[in-house]
Amino acid sequence: MRGARVAVLTGAGVSTDSGIPDYRGEGAPVRTPMTVQAFLASENSRKRYWAGSHLGWRSFGSARPNTGHLALAKLEAGGVVSGVVTQNVDGLHRRAGSRHVVELHGSMDRVLCLSCGQHYARQAIADRLTELNPEIDLGTTIRLAPDGDVQVDDVEAMAIPACTVCGGVLKPDVVFFGEFVPADIFKAAASLVQSAEVLLVAGSSLVVNSGMRLIEQARRRRLPIIVVNRGITKGDSRAVVKIDAGASETLTAMADALLA
């Protein structure tokens, strides 16, 4: 990595030390996430989604960057890392100070109108949800999911806000299960890998297809691939180095060594 342009691909394992759980790591809860088809199909599904997501936002939105996020920001500032492609939707790389970040699956801190394209800050929508649903118990003990969602069963009386511009359906600006990564977003991620000399993967099991497409792109260009992850990943056989360890401590050690 020394003297090379390093592109970084991160997954949920980078954010576990910020209190956001992993989808597939040891102890991860079994869950059935909302698909885009279900979200669009019925108002009741949207009520269920927004009820759980609203409860989860209290913890998800208050998460703070950990030492792994901060190490990557330092590596970028020091000229080692050329940019970060992340599969996470928590926005923590941006908040840590990384400047060139491609969010493959979007970010939960933005909300999009599906009709007119108007964007909203997530906190503004959270405030409207609270006003519309004062009975929601934000003090309840919750078990957060990696996408900020919480399972809620009784949603019949739930009121969900509409777009203030056109009255359209609002959706967090993230890629739901069943959706494709937008072509322009993937092109930006691919461009970052194309211009790199090393690809560092941190905290991802590489089960999601978009991540493996970038791995294959790097392999075809004969880029050295480094994988840092607890447990097996789909990219292990393509890596020149596999470090079976936590992302935070490993990225911090890398930054200390490379910026010394």
Side-chain angles (χ1 to χ4, degrees):
M1 292 170 62
R2 194 181 303 278
R5 291 190 307 277
V6 181
V8 182
L9 171 63
T10 68
V14 169
S15 293
T16 53
D17 286 343
S18 294
I20 298 174
D22 194 350
Y23 272 116
R24 301 175 180 86
E26 185 178 349
V30 178
R31 58 190 300 270
T32 304
M34 177 71 67
T35 66
V36 68
Q37 292 83 2
F39 184 86
L40 296 175
S42 72
E43 184 178 19
N44 190 62
S45 292
R46 291 191 289 276
K47 285 182 178 182
R48 189 168 73 251
Y49 174 81
W50 277 112
S53 185
H54 184 52
L55 289 174
W57 176 249
R58 178 190 60 179
S59 297
F60 197 80
S62 63
R64 294 290 177 263
N66 61 52
T67 55
H69 297 111
L70 296 173
L72 288 175
K74 289 178 183 177
L75 285 166
E76 183 183 16
V80 177
V81 166
S82 55
V84 175
V85 180
T86 185
Q87 298 169 312
N88 301 336
V89 295
D90 50 41
L92 292 179
H93 285 298
R94 286 184 281 110
R95 287 155 66 183
S98 290
R99 298 172 64 86
H100 189 179
V101 181
V102 180
E103 295 170 319
L104 274 180
H105 301 148
S107 180
M108 287 293 290
D109 61 9
R110 302 186 299 266
V111 175
L112 172 71
C113 173
L114 296 179
S115 297
C116 71
Q118 176 70 30
H119 278 86
Y120 298 87
R122 175 58 185 267
Q123 189 56 50
I125 300 303
D127 292 342
R128 288 175 62 191
L129 278 162
T130 299
E131 291 172 7
L132 291 169
N133 304 276
E135 72 284 356
I136 286 184
D137 182 10
L138 290 179
T140 187
T141 300
I142 64 172
R143 184 171 186 180
L144 189 65
D147 51 11
D149 199 6
V150 174
Q151 184 64 43
V152 178
D153 298 316
D154 184 13
V155 298
E156 189 64 32
M158 180 75 181
I160 52 178
C163 176
T164 56
V165 176
C166 72
V169 171
L170 297 180
K171 170 183 170 290
D173 194 11
V174 298
V175 177
F176 276 32
F177 282 80
E179 282 189 286
F180 293 106
V181 173
D184 59 332
I185 299 297
F186 189 81
K187 183 177 180 181
S191 176
L192 200 155
V193 174
Q194 285 284 352
S195 64
E197 296 166 314
V198 175
L199 177 61
L200 169 64
V201 181
S204 176
S205 58
L206 295 169
V207 172
V208 178
N209 185 52
S210 55
M212 279 306 298
R213 287 172 64 190
L214 294 172
I215 290 288
E216 281 303 300
Q217 184 180 101
R219 184 189 64 80
R220 287 195 298 270
R221 292 192 57 236
R222 300 182 183 276
L223 296 187
I225 298 170
I226 303 167
V227 175
V228 178
N229 191 68
R230 291 194 188 279
I232 297 170
T233 84
K234 286 182 67 176
D236 288 356
S237 63
R238 297 162 177 83
V240 295
V241 177
K242 164 66 186 295
I243 302 173
D244 196 326
S248 296
E249 58 266 35
T250 306
L251 293 173
T252 299
M254 287 178 171
D256 289 345
L258 291 167
L259 300 177

